[in-house]
Structure formats: structure tokens, C-alpha cells
Amino acid sequence: MHGVPAPQGIVLQARALAKSFGKVQALKSVSFSLRAGTVHTLLGENGAGKSTLLKILAGVHRPDGGQLLLDGAALRLDGPGDARRHGIAIVHQELSLAANLSVVDNLFAAHPPRRGLCIDEWAMHRAGAALLAKLGIAIGTATPVARLSMAQRQLVEIAKALNRPSRIVIMDEPTSSLSDNEARILFNIIARLVAEGRAVIYVSHRLEEVMRISDEITVMRDGSSVCTLARQQTCAEDLIALMVGREMKHLYPPRTVALRRGSPAALEVRGLNLAGRFQDIDFAVHAGEIVGFFGLVGAGRSDVMDALFGRYRCQGQVLMHGKALRLRSPADAIAHGMAFVTENRKEQGLVLGHSVQHNIAMVHVHSGRSGALLTDPAAEQALARNSVARLNIRIAGLWQPVGELSGGNQQKVVFAKWLAMRPRLLVLDEPTRGIDVGARFEIYALIRELAAAGTAVILVSSDLPEVLAMSDRLLVMRGKRLVSHLETHGLRQETVMAHATGARLP
Ligand SMILES: Nc1ncnc2c1ncn2[C@@H]1O[C@H](COP(=O)(O)OP(=O)(O)OP(=O)(O)O)[C@@H](O)[C@H]1O
Ligand SMILES: [Mg+2]
């Protein structure tokens, strides 16, 4: 176990910080020390209090108890502007860019360069381009943010935080929507910050990267810091045990029911085509089967899923249980018993201002499949309560607005909402992003359970160990086409990567 770090080089210290929101005690007692020139990672389950702690450090929330010290002197932060003046920058977990503005307008939203009273557009574009180039981010400054992918938006968000000189850079799950390529850009940025002597506070649920980039790791549980460890003194298994408070022998639940591929298939897709998006897509998923979709970013996976969900008009045929469907809108897809867990919960999944209960019962309302629920608040409540217990969603009550939940718990609500509908086909697009290891296991177990009950499942994921462990078959997309159909039994990661990149098989 790591002792007290050497006092030299400590820039920031938190001592017994506490914070409540009404009756919810988000932080009980958090202490840790941050040293210059290091990456300090906060690790903990969904709802452990990581984002709350970071928001206190960034001046967004005021703590109810405890102390903050900057360079050994008591620090009181009166708002985010105050934190910025002290050289503390933050990249929030939820993106905050204005989608209707350009990249550069977002980068300089708080402090555009001026000439006289006017904004100096030319200077702003030049400075914006220089910043992006320095960070190794290849995005045009004039591009409207609405046209960027989630990953690109995340990179712009990071650039925005770094657009001012800062000694302490806080990043709350910056990689949750990044692919490997963009994550590499981020890790280069972090390495540079550290080399310049700045301190980085980092949050992520991806243990491999935590083990790769951290110098020190503080584990949080239920609003308290449990311990701080030097990276060299620990390993992923120990960290998991500290985080969830028990040992986890298996990360993936095994298949318990033998798969029988009946005919006709639950879902059959024939010759699906959409110019510029995907070409000649043919595949089938059987009742009870879990089919993985793997591909590099831009391979076309999400577009195919959007087409299934009725978002595009395209050529080809979609059949369920042998019957051809006409899918003109998401409502059509839902009415046919399809459910979709998407990666962008803000735009496609949740109504943040509404209660947990309302969000979970929402699909029933739209699908019209369970009209009875609408007139039966007790049933609606029972349904919501059941999902909350099953997925271990941390909430103060079913009435709580979803917007108040921690990021990972919001993702669990998205899940609960679709599961409540008992779908015939469940499409999961990156379902475990931002979800802690313990809750991941619960979600995997639920997927298995649904499959055992006859749901056909499509699992789209960039997490290769995850798709390999969970799927019966794996379909690989490359360059907008389905290039391989692989049985997952005995399949190796290297082989899948070779199919996805078009490299020669190892
Ligand atoms: N504004 C708020 N109002 C009420 N409760 C809140 C608010 N913000 C956070 N909480 C509660 O505080 C607790 C800690 O949330 P926090 O967002 O800090 O968790 P986290 O560790 O960042 O989780 P995750 O890994 O899911 O992002 C949760 O129970 C959450 O519901
Ligand atoms: Mg969080």
C-alpha cells in the first residue's frame, strides 16, 4: 500500500471533502494529493462520486465540508471562473459544445480575441487552427459542431479546455466516446501536459488505459476515497476488488442455454444498400442468438443499425420471422418489437428533465404495445422499480430527474427503458460505455437472459474482448461492407483485427 506521497511537488490537496444534494450524499469524505507532472486517476463505480469531486475542484459545486489546498494554502472557489483563474481546467463528462456554432466559435466562446469592440475573426481562426495543430487534432476550425462525430466533439471539448494556460487539467471520462485512434491523440496530449510539469486528474472505467497512463490511482467507493496506490504497486484485478468491494472472478457470464438456430431467422437482412453509407449487407440473427458487429470507426456499423431502426430509406429487404417489413421510422421498428440502445444517450436515449420512472416507461408509451401501462401508474411504477433493482441503478427515488444521475447510471436507465419492452430484436450500440466493471457484468447477464428467453441480439462494440466473449457469431465490417462472418468459438483478437483492417491474417 502506498504511503503518504512526498510533500514536494504537491499542487493540490483535498481533505475530507463532503457534498450533498438535498438528501443525496454524493461525497462523504474524499482526500487525495495531486503532484505536479503526474497523472492521477480516480477510479470508482458509477455513482461513487467522481464527477461530483471534479466539479468541486472546477468550482462548479461548493463543498459542504472539508478543505481544498492549492500550493499548501487554503483554496476557496467561487465559481468556475475562479477555478480557471487559479489555472484549473476541466473537460466535463457530458459534452457542452453548442452544436449550431463552428468549432472555433466554441473554442473561444468564453473569451474571443477582439479588435476594438468587434471579435477579430481572422485572429480567432488563426489561433484556433494553431491550437488544434499543436494538439494533433485534424478538424477544420470552421466546421459546424453538428457535423462532427461524437469522438471529434470530444476532441474539440478537450482543445477548448486547453485553450488557456492551466496547471491542473481535469478530464472526466474523456475516452468514453473515443476510438483507439483518437484515444491515441489524447494520450499524446496528456503525455505532453505531464512533461511540461502540469498535473492531470483523470477518470475512466477502462482499466487497461488506467494502468497504462496513470502515475497514481485513488479508488473511490460510495462517496469516500478508499486508498491511493502507485501504478507500479497494483494491478487491474486488485483495483476491481477495491472498487466493487468484492473479488470478481469472471468479467463475462457464460452461456447457459444451448443455442438452436431455427428457421426462419428472427431477423434477416437481404441486400441492404444505401449510397455512401453501406453496401450489400446480408445477414441473419436467430432467436436466442447474440451476433456481434465489429469494425473500425467509419466502417458503417452504426449506419446499418440506424437503417434497421427505420432512420433511412434504403434498398433491400428486412424480414422478421420470415415476414418482410416496411420500416419508415423508428416508431415502425419499435412496433415490430425492435429495441435499440444507442451510444448517444443525450440525443437519442433520454429526456433528462423527466423522472427515472417516466424514462423507463417511455418506450411502452411510444410502442403502443402495452397501452395498459399508460392507464396503470402502479404497473408503471412496479416496472421501473424492478429495473432499478435489477440493474442496481443508484437513484434517490423513482421521481428523480434522470439529469441528476451519474453518467453511468443514466446509461443504465437507457438500458432499462428498452429492456422493459421485452423486445424480439435487441440492438446494442456500444452498450457498456461509461459503465463500471461490476455493472457491466449485470448488463451482460441481462443480455444472456434475454437471449435465453428468445430475443435475437445484435451487439455492436469496439470493445473486442467484450464482443468476443458475448457473441455466438461475429460479423466484421470494413469500408461500408460486411467482409466476414466468423464463429466466435476459439476466435482470436488478432484474427478479428486482421479482418477489420484488411491486413493479412496472422
Ligand atoms: N445535481 C445533482 N443533484 C442530485 N444528485 C446528484 C447531482 N449530481 C450528482 N448527484 C448524485 O451524486 C452521486 C454521485 O454522482 P457522480 O456523478 O459524482 O458519480 P460518478 O462517480 O461520476 O459516476 P459515473 O461513473 O457514473 O460517472 C450520485 O448518486 C448522483 O445521483
Ligand atoms: Mg461521472
Side-chain angles (χ1 to χ4, degrees):
M1 180 83 72
H2 187 68
V4 184
Q8 305 95 309
I10 292 180
V11 274
L12 186 79
Q13 261 182 301
R15 288 189 186 156
L17 286 180
K19 174 72 188 172
S20 294
F21 299 98
K23 274 181 269 171
V24 183
Q25 190 169 17
L27 296 186
K28 291 172 190 149
S29 173
V30 174
S31 305
F32 79 104
S33 301
L34 176 68
R35 289 182 295 143
T38 65
V39 177
H40 196 125
T41 295
L42 301 173
L43 205 60
E45 290 185 288
N46 298 129
K50 303 175 299 290
S51 295
T52 305
L53 169 64
L54 300 186
K55 285 180 188 163
I56 289 176
L57 302 179
V60 177
H61 295 317
R62 193 80 63 70
D64 315 325
Q67 224 190 354
L68 271 180
L69 303 172
L70 187 67
D71 297 322
L75 174 68
R76 184 195 146 101
L77 295 172
D78 290 314
D82 211 15
R84 275 196 294 273
R85 277 187 291 282
H86 280 100
I88 301 172
I90 183 163
V91 181
H92 285 289
Q93 182 170 8
E94 302 296 335
L95 301 187
S96 66
L97 301 178
N100 54 337
L101 296 181
S102 69
V103 168
V104 74
D105 286 333
N106 272 286
L107 289 178
F108 290 91
H111 50 100
R114 292 182 185 276
R115 199 196 285 161
L117 283 176
C118 302
I119 293 178
D120 187 343
E121 292 282 345
W122 188 75
M124 193 163 82
H125 275 274
R126 213 180 38 167
L131 174 71
L132 294 178
K134 191 177 90 179
L135 298 175
I137 301 172
I139 300 173
T141 51
T143 318
V145 163
R147 289 237 300 274
L148 302 180
S149 68
M150 291 299 287
Q152 290 174 315
R153 290 182 203 197
Q154 179 71 66
L155 290 178
V156 173
E157 192 86 37
I158 291 163
K160 183 179 163 191
L162 297 177
N163 196 11
R164 286 193 180 177
S166 45
R167 306 170 56 197
I168 298 170
V169 180
I170 299 171
M171 299 184 174
D172 197 353
E173 298 194 35
T175 46
S176 65
S177 57
L178 297 186
S179 67
D180 288 351
N181 243 335
E182 292 125 353
R184 211 166 302 131
I185 298 176
L186 173 69
F187 297 148
N188 286 337
I189 293 173
I190 291 178
R192 255 233 331 271
L193 291 171
V194 166
E196 290 166 2
R198 303 191 228 195
V200 175
I201 304 180
Y202 192 81
V203 171
S204 171
H205 289 289
R206 299 181 178 181
L207 282 169
E208 323 84 74
E209 78 187 27
V210 168
M211 287 306 289
R212 192 141 51 93
I213 70 166
S214 318
D215 295 297
E216 288 182 297
I217 299 156
T218 291
V219 178
M220 290 177 64
R221 202 161 65 216
D222 293 331
S224 296
S225 45
V226 179
C227 62
T228 296
L229 302 161
R231 195 254 326 255
Q232 294 92 334
Q233 293 174 304
T234 187
C235 61
E237 291 72 37
D238 290 351
L239 290 173
I240 291 173
L242 285 167
M243 228 164 93
V244 302
R246 66 194 147 90
E247 224 174 296
M248 285 192 61
K249 290 237 166 54
H250 305 287
L251 294 181
Y252 305 97
R255 168 176 273 291
T256 49
V257 180
L259 172 66
R260 259 181 284 135
R261 289 182 183 133
S263 168
L267 173 80
E268 200 179 336
V269 172
R270 291 186 193 151
L272 214 59
N273 265 291
L274 183 62
R277 303 265 184 184
F278 47 76
Q279 265 181 311
D280 307 328
I281 306 296
D282 289 279
F283 68 93
V285 186
H286 294 84
E289 189 178 31
I290 303 176
V291 171
F293 258 75
F294 185 77
L296 303 181
V297 171
R301 296 170 309 168
S302 293
D303 283 336
V304 171
M305 299 311 139
D306 278 343
L308 281 183
F309 204 27
R311 286 215 178 83
Y312 301 125
R313 288 284 175 90
C314 42
Q315 290 173 317
Q317 260 194 320
V318 177
L319 300 93
M320 276 186 93
H321 299 284
K323 235 181 75 193
L325 308 183
R326 287 189 65 190
L327 302 170
R328 281 155 309 183
S329 70
D332 284 349
I334 293 170
H336 283 108
M338 300 187 182
F340 289 75
V341 174
T342 56
E343 59 174 329
N344 185 348
R345 60 177 169 262
K346 253 193 178 169
E347 282 176 14
Q348 295 173 358
L350 295 176
V351 186
L352 295 177
H354 286 190
S355 69
V356 170
Q357 176 170 327
H358 179 248
N359 272 282
I360 291 177
M362 192 155 62
V363 185
H364 285 263
V365 179
H366 287 316
S367 70
R369 275 159 56 96
S370 336
L373 266 181
L374 267 179
T375 51
D376 188 354
E380 192 177 301
Q381 195 183 50
L383 170 88
R385 181 157 297 143
N386 186 12
S387 315
V388 165
R390 184 63 220 270
L391 286 171
N392 196 12
I393 308 178
R394 293 184 46 149
I395 53 170
L398 292 174
W399 47 265
Q400 197 174 19
V402 163
E404 284 183 9
L405 304 188
S406 79
N409 282 299
Q410 288 185 15
Q411 178 66 9
K412 291 191 205 170
V413 173
V414 174
F415 227 88
K417 160 181 130 162
W418 291 111
L419 293 184
M421 154 186 168
R422 295 253 140 219
R424 292 207 277 174
L425 171 74
L426 175 64
V427 179
L428 305 160
D429 195 353
E430 308 287 357
T432 55
R433 275 195 175 157
I435 303 244
D436 70 56
V437 276
R440 270 170 172 245
F441 188 88
E442 286 305 317
I443 284 181
Y444 296 142
L446 255 168
I447 296 172
R448 284 249 182 268
E449 202 174 284
L450 277 170
T455 295
V457 180
I458 295 179
L459 174 61
V460 180
S461 172
S462 314
D463 186 331
L464 201 42
E466 173 179 284
V467 267
L468 277 177
M470 289 300 297
S471 315
D472 302 302
R473 271 186 302 138
L474 190 62
L475 308 186
V476 181
M477 282 191 77
R478 185 174 76 234
K480 320 288 182 199
R481 288 169 185 273
L482 257 181
V483 291
S484 323
H485 293 61
L486 309 166
E487 290 284 336
T488 41
H489 186 74
L491 188 60
R492 291 173 37 218
Q493 292 196 28
E494 296 78 14
T495 313
V496 180
M497 275 317 275
H499 283 274
T501 56
R504 276 210 284 144
L505 290 177

